[in-house]
mmCIF file with all atom_site columns, all heavy atoms in Angstrom:
data_model
loop_
_atom_site.group_PDB
_atom_site.id
_atom_site.type_symbol
_atom_site.label_atom_id
_atom_site.label_alt_id
_atom_site.label_comp_id
_atom_site.label_asym_id
_atom_site.label_entity_id
_atom_site.label_seq_id
_atom_site.pdbx_PDB_ins_code
_atom_site.Cartn_x
_atom_site.Cartn_y
_atom_site.Cartn_z
_atom_site.occupancy
_atom_site.B_iso_or_equiv
_atom_site.pdbx_formal_charge
_atom_site.auth_seq_id
_atom_site.auth_comp_id
_atom_site.auth_asym_id
_atom_site.auth_atom_id
_atom_site.pdbx_PDB_model_num
ATOM   1  N N   . ALA O 1 35  ? 95.363  91.304  87.507 1.00 98.00 ? 35  ALA O N   1
ATOM   2  C CA  . ALA O 1 35  ? 95.135  92.311  86.455 1.00 98.00 ? 35  ALA O CA  1
ATOM   3  C C   . ALA O 1 35  ? 95.997  93.527  86.764 1.00 98.00 ? 35  ALA O C   1
ATOM   4  O O   . ALA O 1 35  ? 95.990  94.019  87.901 1.00 98.00 ? 35  ALA O O   1
ATOM   5  C CB  . ALA O 1 35  ? 93.665  92.717  86.434 1.00 98.00 ? 35  ALA O CB  1
ATOM   6  N N   . THR O 1 36  ? 96.733  94.021  85.769 1.00 98.00 ? 36  THR O N   1
ATOM   7  C CA  . THR O 1 36  ? 97.573  95.200  86.004 1.00 98.00 ? 36  THR O CA  1
ATOM   8  C C   . THR O 1 36  ? 97.517  96.134  84.787 1.00 98.00 ? 36  THR O C   1
ATOM   9  O O   . THR O 1 36  ? 97.071  95.745  83.713 1.00 98.00 ? 36  THR O O   1
ATOM   10 C CB  . THR O 1 36  ? 99.071  94.843  86.223 1.00 98.00 ? 36  THR O CB  1
ATOM   11 O OG1 . THR O 1 36  ? 99.693  94.640  84.939 1.00 98.00 ? 36  THR O OG1 1
ATOM   12 C CG2 . THR O 1 36  ? 99.249  93.610  87.073 1.00 98.00 ? 36  THR O CG2 1
ATOM   13 N N   . MET O 1 37  ? 98.031  97.344  85.010 1.00 98.00 ? 37  MET O N   1
ATOM   14 C CA  . MET O 1 37  ? 98.239  98.256  83.888 1.00 98.00 ? 37  MET O CA  1
ATOM   15 C C   . MET O 1 37  ? 99.735  98.382  83.617 1.00 98.00 ? 37  MET O C   1
ATOM   16 O O   . MET O 1 37  ? 100.187 99.358  83.009 1.00 98.00 ? 37  MET O O   1
ATOM   17 C CB  . MET O 1 37  ? 97.618  99.626  84.185 1.00 98.00 ? 37  MET O CB  1
ATOM   18 C CG  . MET O 1 37  ? 96.107  99.523  84.410 1.00 98.00 ? 37  MET O CG  1
ATOM   19 S SD  . MET O 1 37  ? 95.212  101.041 84.063 1.00 98.00 ? 37  MET O SD  1
ATOM   20 C CE  . MET O 1 37  ? 95.932  102.140 85.248 1.00 98.00 ? 37  MET O CE  1
ATOM   21 N N   . ASN O 1 65  ? 94.212  100.748 80.577 1.00 98.00 ? 65  ASN O N   1
ATOM   22 C CA  . ASN O 1 65  ? 92.810  100.796 80.160 1.00 98.00 ? 65  ASN O CA  1
ATOM   23 C C   . ASN O 1 65  ? 92.314  102.231 79.948 1.00 98.00 ? 65  ASN O C   1
ATOM   24 O O   . ASN O 1 65  ? 92.107  102.957 80.916 1.00 98.00 ? 65  ASN O O   1
ATOM   25 C CB  . ASN O 1 65  ? 91.976  100.111 81.254 1.00 98.00 ? 65  ASN O CB  1
ATOM   26 C CG  . ASN O 1 65  ? 90.487  100.257 81.010 1.00 98.00 ? 65  ASN O CG  1
ATOM   27 O OD1 . ASN O 1 65  ? 90.037  100.227 79.852 1.00 98.00 ? 65  ASN O OD1 1
ATOM   28 N ND2 . ASN O 1 65  ? 89.727  100.415 82.080 1.00 98.00 ? 65  ASN O ND2 1
ATOM   29 N N   . GLN O 1 68  ? 89.173  104.053 81.939 1.00 98.00 ? 68  GLN O N   1
ATOM   30 C CA  . GLN O 1 68  ? 89.145  104.443 83.357 1.00 98.00 ? 68  GLN O CA  1
ATOM   31 C C   . GLN O 1 68  ? 89.893  105.748 83.619 1.00 98.00 ? 68  GLN O C   1
ATOM   32 O O   . GLN O 1 68  ? 90.010  106.171 84.761 1.00 98.00 ? 68  GLN O O   1
ATOM   33 C CB  . GLN O 1 68  ? 89.680  103.308 84.242 1.00 98.00 ? 68  GLN O CB  1
ATOM   34 C CG  . GLN O 1 68  ? 91.167  103.038 84.134 1.00 98.00 ? 68  GLN O CG  1
ATOM   35 C CD  . GLN O 1 68  ? 91.561  101.772 84.900 1.00 98.00 ? 68  GLN O CD  1
ATOM   36 O OE1 . GLN O 1 68  ? 91.300  100.660 84.459 1.00 98.00 ? 68  GLN O OE1 1
ATOM   37 N NE2 . GLN O 1 68  ? 92.168  101.941 86.062 1.00 98.00 ? 68  GLN O NE2 1
ATOM   38 N N   . VAL O 1 138 ? 86.345  96.964  82.215 1.00 98.00 ? 138 VAL O N   1
ATOM   39 C CA  . VAL O 1 138 ? 87.529  96.216  81.759 1.00 98.00 ? 138 VAL O CA  1
ATOM   40 C C   . VAL O 1 138 ? 87.762  94.974  82.617 1.00 98.00 ? 138 VAL O C   1
ATOM   41 O O   . VAL O 1 138 ? 88.145  93.918  82.090 1.00 98.00 ? 138 VAL O O   1
ATOM   42 C CB  . VAL O 1 138 ? 88.789  97.114  81.702 1.00 98.00 ? 138 VAL O CB  1
ATOM   43 C CG1 . VAL O 1 138 ? 89.455  97.286  83.050 1.00 98.00 ? 138 VAL O CG1 1
ATOM   44 C CG2 . VAL O 1 138 ? 89.794  96.553  80.699 1.00 98.00 ? 138 VAL O CG2 1
ATOM   45 N N   . GLN O 1 160 ? 88.322  100.393 94.690 1.00 98.00 ? 160 GLN O N   1
ATOM   46 C CA  . GLN O 1 160 ? 88.328  99.545  93.483 1.00 98.00 ? 160 GLN O CA  1
ATOM   47 C C   . GLN O 1 160 ? 88.061  98.083  93.854 1.00 98.00 ? 160 GLN O C   1
ATOM   48 O O   . GLN O 1 160 ? 87.281  97.388  93.210 1.00 98.00 ? 160 GLN O O   1
ATOM   49 C CB  . GLN O 1 160 ? 89.678  99.670  92.775 1.00 98.00 ? 160 GLN O CB  1
ATOM   50 C CG  . GLN O 1 160 ? 89.914  98.597  91.717 1.00 98.00 ? 160 GLN O CG  1
ATOM   51 C CD  . GLN O 1 160 ? 91.167  98.842  90.919 1.00 98.00 ? 160 GLN O CD  1
ATOM   52 O OE1 . GLN O 1 160 ? 91.191  99.698  90.067 1.00 98.00 ? 160 GLN O OE1 1
ATOM   53 N NE2 . GLN O 1 160 ? 92.216  98.073  91.176 1.00 98.00 ? 160 GLN O NE2 1
HETATM 54 O O1  . PAF Z 2 .   ? 94.442  98.626  89.532 1.00 92.37 ? 301 PAF Z O1  1
HETATM 55 C C1  . PAF Z 2 .   ? 94.706  98.682  88.311 1.00 92.37 ? 301 PAF Z C1  1
HETATM 56 O O2  . PAF Z 2 .   ? 95.879  98.631  87.902 1.00 92.37 ? 301 PAF Z O2  1
HETATM 57 C C2  . PAF Z 2 .   ? 93.581  98.815  87.289 1.00 92.37 ? 301 PAF Z C2  1
HETATM 58 O O3  . PAF Z 2 .   ? 92.574  99.636  87.768 1.00 92.37 ? 301 PAF Z O3  1
HETATM 59 C C3  . PAF Z 2 .   ? 93.024  97.451  86.832 1.00 92.37 ? 301 PAF Z C3  1
HETATM 60 C C4  . PAF Z 2 .   ? 92.363  96.699  87.968 1.00 92.37 ? 301 PAF Z C4  1
HETATM 61 C C5  . PAF Z 2 .   ? 94.126  96.620  86.227 1.00 92.37 ? 301 PAF Z C5  1
HETATM 62 C C6  . PAF Z 2 .   ? 91.945  97.683  85.753 1.00 92.37 ? 301 PAF Z C6  1
HETATM 63 O O4  . PAF Z 2 .   ? 92.468  98.346  84.641 1.00 92.37 ? 301 PAF Z O4  1
#
Side-chain angles (χ1 to χ4, degrees):
T36 81
M37 299 205 298
N65 173 36
Q68 70 188 75
V138 82
Q160 166 173 285

